[in-house]
Amino acid sequence: MQSITEIKSLRSQIKAWRQQGHSIAFVPTMGNLHQGHFSLVEKAKTLADKVVVSIFVNPMQFGKNEDLDSYPRTLVQDKQGLAELGTDIVFTPSVETIYPNGLATQSFVDVPGVSEGYCGGAREGHFRGVATVVTKLFNLVQPDFACFGEKDYQQLQVIKTMVHDLSMPIEIIGVPTQREVTGLAMSSRNGYLSEQEKDVAKVLYKVLSQTAAALKSGVRQFDNLESEAKSELEQAGLKPDYFSIAHRDTLKPAQQSDEHFVVLAAAFLGSVRLIDNIQVVN
């Protein structure tokens, strides 16, 4: 596995691969890798000849009072795991490499509509930061495929919309959420939870599953389902940020005529913000 930090070196290797006729799959990450990330790499290996993984904690997508400085950085372990999976390149640029002129004057990419509300409403500027850094990484890696986890469902839809709107020749692949035995979605932020808190956190997936089952059975009282779910989360000790039933693709509030739904949820457990979702297809 090559470990590359500079843009010039990355572009040189990408150019050589292209000249050799190789296809490329890409997995952008912020590090602190777990099985959820590794499942993206495993999927990427089935799609293309070469796999590139980036590790970059992107300051542009962190808002005020968010955990940029305390975000866990485990580069040595991350590289070891990626090497064991047969990753071809791990790209680990510095902030200065990605944003040489700082953030204040950096051009940005905005994806209206699908980026609004939910996590976009709770974290102002978050998806602008995501879309901007992913666009820059796409320009550097020039992949044929890029893999993103379905746990960050709104992010996945933002990236799909951006790629479509900007005519990028990249196929975006959503990879199913990896879960703990309890059903808790794997996340870097789970490391902040005690074992007792993890026992409470599993209720989020339980409530999502109950709501999805109701939708699957034909229940269409969306407001009632959402309010009942929030109440159950609160009773378990979670503080709901949102619990919403939406159209699977547009993320607009669900309508009676819809056939494809996604149930989206975010909740606080102490200072830790958990997100999860379940897709429902009738």
Side-chain angles (χ1 to χ4, degrees), residues 14-24 48-50 144:
I14 297 295
K15 182 179 180 180
W17 283 347
R18 288 301 185 193
Q19 290 173 338
Q20 295 160 14
H22 292 311
S23 56
I24 300 170
D49 303 318
K50 301 293 183 180
D144 301 285

Side-chain angles (χ1 to χ4, degrees), residues 4-23:
I4 295 177
T5 60
E6 300 301 324
I7 288 174
K8 184 177 179 180
S9 300
L10 176 65
R11 282 186 160 149
S12 177
Q13 182 59 78
I14 297 295
K15 182 179 180 180
W17 283 347
R18 288 301 185 193
Q19 290 173 338
Q20 295 160 14
H22 292 311
S23 56

Side-chain angles (χ1 to χ4, degrees), residues 177-196:
T177 303
Q178 297 294 301
R179 299 185 180 278
E180 308 284 356
V181 175
T182 61
L184 177 64
M186 291 184 179
S187 169
S188 297
R189 288 188 168 87
N190 291 354
Y192 298 136
L193 300 174
S194 67
E195 289 304 313
Q196 184 177 4

Side-chain angles (χ1 to χ4, degrees), residues 60-63 109-110 119-131:
M60 187 182 280
Q61 69 191 68
F62 285 79
V109 178
D110 225 341
C119 288
R123 304 178 67 188
E124 184 180 356
H126 171 69
F127 285 120
R128 173 185 288 184
V130 170

Side-chain angles (χ1 to χ4, degrees), residues 248-276:
R248 187 186 64 181
D249 300 323
T250 66
L251 301 190
K252 292 181 179 179
Q255 303 295 317
Q256 294 290 331
S257 58
D258 291 344
E259 295 183 355
H260 305 316
F261 304 96
V262 61
V263 189
L264 302 155
F268 285 95
L269 185 53
S271 61
V272 180
R273 187 174 182 272
L274 305 170
I275 65 170
D276 203 351

Side-chain angles (χ1 to χ4, degrees), residues 141-175:
V141 178
Q142 299 176 29
D144 301 285
F145 306 92
C147 299
F148 292 81
E150 291 180 350
K151 180 184 76 72
D152 297 288
Y153 192 83
Q154 187 177 16
Q155 172 179 277
L156 175 61
Q157 296 308 111
V158 167
I159 299 302
K160 284 183 175 180
T161 302
M162 178 186 78
V163 164
H164 176 269
D165 288 354
L166 299 182
S167 303
M168 296 180 181
I170 304 168
E171 184 174 347
I172 303 301
I173 307 296
V175 180

Side-chain angles (χ1 to χ4, degrees), residues 48-256:
D49 303 318
K50 301 293 183 180
V51 173
V52 179
V53 177
S54 64
I55 296 177
F56 178 65
V57 182
N58 176 32
M60 187 182 280
Q61 69 191 68
F62 285 79
K64 295 178 180 178
N65 303 317
E66 291 192 333
D67 55 355
L68 173 61
D69 292 336
S70 62
Y71 192 87
R73 291 160 171 84
T74 54
L75 188 57
V76 173
Q77 299 95 309
D78 293 348
K79 284 185 175 181
Q80 181 179 346
L82 292 173
E84 290 172 357
L85 286 175
T87 305
D88 295 286
I89 288 177
V90 57
F91 179 50
T92 57
S94 66
V95 172
E96 292 73 26
T97 296
I98 297 297
Y99 302 120
N101 298 316
L103 296 181
T105 58
Q106 170 68 39
S107 300
F108 59 83
V109 178
D110 225 341
V111 184
V114 72
S115 68
E116 297 162 8
Y118 314 113
C119 288
R123 304 178 67 188
E124 184 180 356
H126 171 69
F127 285 120
R128 173 185 288 184
V130 170
T132 299
V133 78
V134 170
T135 296
K136 186 153 191 172
L137 291 168
F138 281 174
N139 286 335
L140 295 175
V141 178
Q142 299 176 29
D144 301 285
F145 306 92
C147 299
F148 292 81
E150 291 180 350
K151 180 184 76 72
D152 297 288
Y153 192 83
Q154 187 177 16
Q155 172 179 277
L156 175 61
Q157 296 308 111
V158 167
I159 299 302
K160 284 183 175 180
T161 302
M162 178 186 78
V163 164
H164 176 269
D165 288 354
L166 299 182
S167 303
M168 296 180 181
I170 304 168
E171 184 174 347
I172 303 301
I173 307 296
V175 180
T177 303
Q178 297 294 301
R179 299 185 180 278
E180 308 284 356
V181 175
T182 61
L184 177 64
M186 291 184 179
S187 169
S188 297
R189 288 188 168 87
N190 291 354
Y192 298 136
L193 300 174
S194 67
E195 289 304 313
Q196 184 177 4
E197 287 173 327
K198 284 184 178 180
D199 196 50
V200 175
K202 70 183 182 184
V203 175
L204 184 60
Y205 181 62
K206 174 189 171 187
V207 175
L208 279 167
S209 299
Q210 291 172 179
T211 304
L215 291 169
K216 192 76 175 175
S217 71
V219 177
R220 293 294 180 269
Q221 286 74 41
F222 304 124
D223 290 345
N224 289 344
L225 288 173
E226 291 172 353
S227 62
E228 289 169 6
K230 290 175 184 176
S231 177
E232 188 166 350
L233 292 175
E234 290 170 346
Q235 289 172 14
L238 290 153
K239 181 181 177 183
D241 185 355
Y242 61 79
F243 192 101
S244 304
I245 302 167
H247 186 280
R248 187 186 64 181
D249 300 323
T250 66
L251 301 190
K252 292 181 179 179
Q255 303 295 317
Q256 294 290 331

